[in-house]
Amino acid sequence: METFYAEIITIGNEILSGRTVNTNASHIARRLTSLGFKIRRITVVMDEINDIAEAFTEAISREPAIIVSTGGLGPTYDDKTSEGLAKALGVPLTLNENALNQVKTKYLQKGIEITQERMKMAMLPLGAEPVENYVGIAPGIYMERGMIEILSTPGVPKEMEAVLEVFISKFLKKKPSVKYIEANFEVKGIMESALAPFITQLVKKYDLYIKTHPKGYELSNPMLEIQIAGSDKDEINLDKRISYCKEEIKEKVKELGGLIVE
């Protein structure tokens, strides 16, 4: 089964400083994983043209199916994603008429003039297509480099989510022909280290992704969220594997004296 890899690039000093939690990357990863993509790398870089360009260049060199970036598409001086992407692709930054129409329409409807700063959001790398942003102003950016599809989204979470969905429904060409299924439940009273050897065996047995997410304290009050996930062309077979795996984990938890919380 062919693997469709994806990479995510988050752009913003506020992420690196710890001021803002990187929820965008988590959302993008979950959404792409649900489509059958395998996330190979998540990168966070500063609001600097060279850093942004380098992140795109390195991601492109690994030849994933898609690259999704988030952040840096607004009207302020530190919004530099368009420039960084253009530099990485070796193309000029130009005024995109379709993007300009999208930006103008939203401002003129409110009787707001179009300034140079607002026009900045319509400056896209040559060859790019604007991706409509239905909840904000700055459009996303869609480009292709060889067999790689590239999407840049705004950093405001609601805008990122809206642009990502437009990209998936209208632009994305290469979608894995697989079904993704995930099951989650919680376990109390079992240390992660106690369950670890058994989980390792089940990963090999069922060819699934199994992750134990600690929610409590290993020694005093252990609590785990168990995530079982997989992708396969055969949805029925995948669903059975996940169900069987889930039941085996539950039986082991009971054997170890733990409590299952659905």
Side-chain angles (χ1 to χ4, degrees), residues 72-103:
L73 296 185
T76 61
Y77 75 94
D78 58 344
D79 288 313
K80 300 176 180 178
T81 297
S82 293
E83 295 168 89
L85 178 56
K87 183 173 182 178
L89 298 176
V91 298
L93 200 64
T94 61
L95 184 63
N96 184 288
E97 289 299 328
N98 289 335
L100 181 60
N101 287 336
Q102 292 180 19
V103 172

Side-chain angles (χ1 to χ4, degrees), residues 95-127:
L95 184 63
N96 184 288
E97 289 299 328
N98 289 335
L100 181 60
N101 287 336
Q102 292 180 19
V103 172
K104 274 186 174 181
T105 298
K106 293 171 183 177
Y107 279 117
L108 294 179
Q109 285 176 344
K110 300 292 185 179
I112 301 173
E113 66 175 322
I114 303 299
T115 62
Q116 287 298 316
E117 288 75 17
R118 290 166 182 152
M119 286 182 64
K120 176 178 180 290
M121 291 182 282
M123 297 293 293
L124 309 186
L126 182 65

